[in-house]
Amino acid sequence: MRTERKQEALYKPLAALMRPKSLDDFVGHAEVLGKGKPLRKAIEQGKVGSLILWGSPGVGKTTLAELIARNMDAAIERVSAVTAGVKDLRDVLSRAREWQKIKRSTVLIVDEIHRFNKSQQDVLLPAVEEGLVIMIGATTENPYFEVVSALISRAQVVRLEILQDKDIKKIISHALAGYPVLSIEKDSLNAIAQRSGGDARRALNILERIIAGKKKGKIALKDIQAAAHGSAMHYDKAGDVHYDTISAFIKSLRGSDADAALFYLFRMLASGEDPKFIVRRMLIFASEDIGNADPHALMLIAAASQALMWIGLPEAEFALAHAACYLAAAPKSNSVYKAMNAAKQDVETHGNDAPPGNVVNAPIEDLKQFGKGVGYKYPHDFPGHVVEQQYRPNSIQKNIYYEPGDEGFEKEVKRRIEAARKVIYGQ
């Protein structure tokens, strides 16, 4: 029996062996778990209510849930929202009632809580509401979008950010303390931290593969390169990272930071983002944030989209990078965007107001007796091809939507627009 236990421990993953046993051993997340923080105090006092722990893989969600439960001296139940059915949840609640009889709380740890369906929710909600169980859910998805609102309203959402490099290095150094025959160079320690992408589990898995092939000596960069397979980048095509990255990309373009824009562009491409999605956002940006300050911007992005369609990746990366750099460097104006919104507001209020008779359609002569088409002035018959004339309903005749800026080509557009308005309004 003892031999079996020894063998079991021998094959336990390093990431599991390194799970902290107390809050003092827990690395990172000082912003929510540091000394004196409200959550830390609540955990230490054993007075934690239901929580939803939200964060990327390997940031310590499950470990923290276990620490909280142990600190409360509570019975611990664990379920996965993917595999646990209604019967499983009813069994958990039945055991919780038995614990309640002897004045002991039950902590229910729910993995992938965003996957709860309505039936599971209907069983669990009353138990959480009455305090039969203290629920601690763990999710990699944004709970405000993915978790049912009834559960959100009954739990505190705790955001756990990815671990910093210093945290990962501390975890690795602590793990290596158990292997005195091995040492690690500073550059190698930095390399593991960088390749982990803020994921402690990934960092420990890399270290475990190195340990398996290196019994003693210094851990060098070549050892890490051999052990670290694939990309450590966290990315999802429909979740927070997806939206956060495209937001950062667009804001970098708007801020004229070409280098930042290129970084986010290639981060998305390396993560498998659909390049057509990126191009669509660039097309929107060309009109929304540049507009007539540089009319060529929209044409350039349209050309890049054609390049993508005809040659595909990876060769189309040149066209996408070309376009991104151009958008970042282009003069900026949101005048078209503001004009569009102002016009939309008037459409909501005055959308049914009839145009003046002089500019409406009069396909037959008899319609002129109703004022249709009467008095229309053909602009090409006048100097500069502009003439004093009313084009809009009386209700919005004095409303100005488009106010061109002074950046780039829009300065010339402004001159043209103002000159035309003086003639049209008879000023």
Side-chain angles (χ1 to χ4, degrees):
M1 194 68 174
R2 288 180 182 174
T3 304
E4 289 175 2
R5 286 182 180 175
K6 187 175 180 181
Q7 289 296 318
E8 184 182 44
L10 182 65
Y11 293 108
K12 198 170 185 180
L14 183 59
L17 289 171
M18 291 302 300
R19 283 191 187 278
K21 304 297 188 293
S22 70
L23 275 177
D24 290 333
D25 296 332
F26 197 81
V27 177
H29 310 303
E31 65 280 4
V32 293
L33 291 170
K35 295 285 186 181
K37 295 291 183 180
L39 181 58
R40 173 85 178 225
K41 287 181 179 179
I43 296 170
E44 291 172 342
Q45 294 167 9
K47 296 179 180 178
V48 178
S50 291
L51 301 172
I52 295 177
L53 305 177
W54 166 32
S56 300
V59 297
K61 299 184 297 294
T62 303
T63 298
L64 180 57
E66 297 274 357
L67 288 175
I68 292 171
R70 286 204 297 269
N71 223 57
M72 295 177 69
D73 191 27
I76 303 175
E77 297 279 357
R78 302 173 184 81
V79 298
S80 167
V82 178
T83 59
V86 169
K87 182 182 181 302
D88 300 307
L89 288 174
R90 291 192 190 281
D91 289 344
V92 167
L93 300 183
S94 178
R95 291 192 292 272
R97 287 191 178 89
E98 293 302 314
W99 284 115
Q100 194 179 52
K101 291 176 183 177
I102 60 172
K103 310 296 183 186
R104 194 175 187 199
S105 301
T106 298
V107 174
L108 173 58
I109 299 173
V110 184
D111 192 30
E112 297 190 80
I113 193 171
H114 59 279
R115 301 288 292 275
F116 259 143
N117 59 36
K118 188 177 186 304
S119 297
Q120 292 167 311
Q121 167 194 333
D122 289 343
V123 171
L124 185 58
L125 272 175
V128 173
E129 194 164 33
E130 70 182 63
L132 177 61
V133 296
I134 296 165
M135 179 196 71
I136 303 180
T139 177
T140 56
E141 303 295 329
N142 188 330
Y144 295 103
F145 297 142
E146 303 296 338
V147 177
V148 291
S149 58
L151 280 177
I152 288 283
S153 68
R154 291 162 175 80
Q156 177 188 355
V157 176
V158 177
R159 173 68 168 154
L160 299 179
E161 302 291 347
I162 61 172
L163 294 170
Q164 298 178 26
D165 283 0
K166 65 177 183 179
D167 300 323
I168 297 293
K169 288 189 279 189
K170 186 174 181 179
I171 291 169
I172 293 298
S173 298
H174 184 53
L176 278 172
Y179 299 89
V181 293
L182 286 171
S183 62
I184 188 165
E185 298 172 350
K186 184 178 179 180
D187 288 348
S188 301
L189 190 59
N190 290 335
I192 294 180
Q194 291 163 4
R195 287 173 178 265
S196 72
D199 182 334
R201 188 183 303 112
R202 177 177 170 82
L204 288 168
N205 287 343
I206 292 172
L207 181 62
E208 187 170 29
R209 287 193 289 270
I210 294 171
I211 291 170
K214 191 179 189 76
K215 303 303 179 185
K216 60 181 180 179
K218 281 189 176 182
I219 297 174
L221 283 173
K222 63 179 182 180
D223 300 314
I224 295 162
Q225 290 165 354
H229 306 299
S231 171
M233 286 188 294
H234 298 300
Y235 203 82
D236 45 46
K237 293 187 180 180
D240 268 5
V241 180
H242 162 84
Y243 290 109
D244 287 349
T245 307
I246 193 66
S247 176
F249 174 62
I250 294 300
K251 288 181 172 69
S252 298
L253 292 175
R254 185 177 297 138
S256 301
D257 190 336
D259 303 301
L262 286 173
F263 172 80
Y264 292 118
L265 169 65
F266 284 101
R267 178 181 174 183
M268 288 187 285
L269 293 175
S271 300
E273 179 62 80
D274 182 355
K276 294 191 293 296
F277 167 74
I278 301 172
V279 169
R280 284 195 295 271
R281 294 303 301 267
M282 293 168 81
L283 282 164
I284 295 166
F285 179 88
S287 290
E288 181 181 355
D289 287 282
I290 296 174
N292 286 322
D294 187 347
H296 290 96
L298 184 60
M299 292 184 280
L300 186 68
I301 305 310
S305 70
Q306 288 292 307
L308 177 64
M309 182 179 74
W310 281 102
I311 62 179
L313 294 177
E315 289 84 355
E317 288 179 354
F318 292 105
L320 296 179
H322 173 178
C325 290
Y326 189 92
L327 289 182
K332 306 298 189 295
S333 170
N334 67 343
S335 298
V336 170
Y337 170 74
K338 290 193 291 186
M340 179 179 74
N341 288 336
K344 282 182 176 181
Q345 287 179 4
D346 265 1
V347 167
E348 287 184 13
T349 308
H350 303 286
N352 289 320
D353 294 2
N358 58 303
V359 294
V360 298
N361 188 33
I364 57 176
E365 189 69 23
D366 287 349
L367 288 174
K368 290 189 176 180
Q369 64 181 306
F370 302 107
K372 290 184 176 288
V374 176
Y376 174 63
K377 300 172 185 175
Y378 188 54
H380 296 299
D381 290 340
F382 295 85
H385 304 269
V386 184
V387 62
E388 181 181 351
Q389 181 165 231
Q390 183 172 341
Y391 294 96
R392 289 179 283 170
N394 290 330
S395 58
I396 60 169
Q397 175 62 11
K398 294 183 179 180
N399 294 357
I400 299 297
Y401 307 135
Y402 183 40
E403 293 283 12
D406 294 316
E407 294 297 323
F409 184 73
E410 197 167 31
K411 189 173 184 178
E412 171 62 15
V413 175
K414 182 176 183 177
R415 184 193 66 76
R416 297 177 188 178
I417 289 283
E418 289 178 348
R421 280 176 180 159
K422 284 181 180 179
V423 176
I424 293 167
Y425 298 142
Q427 297 174 354

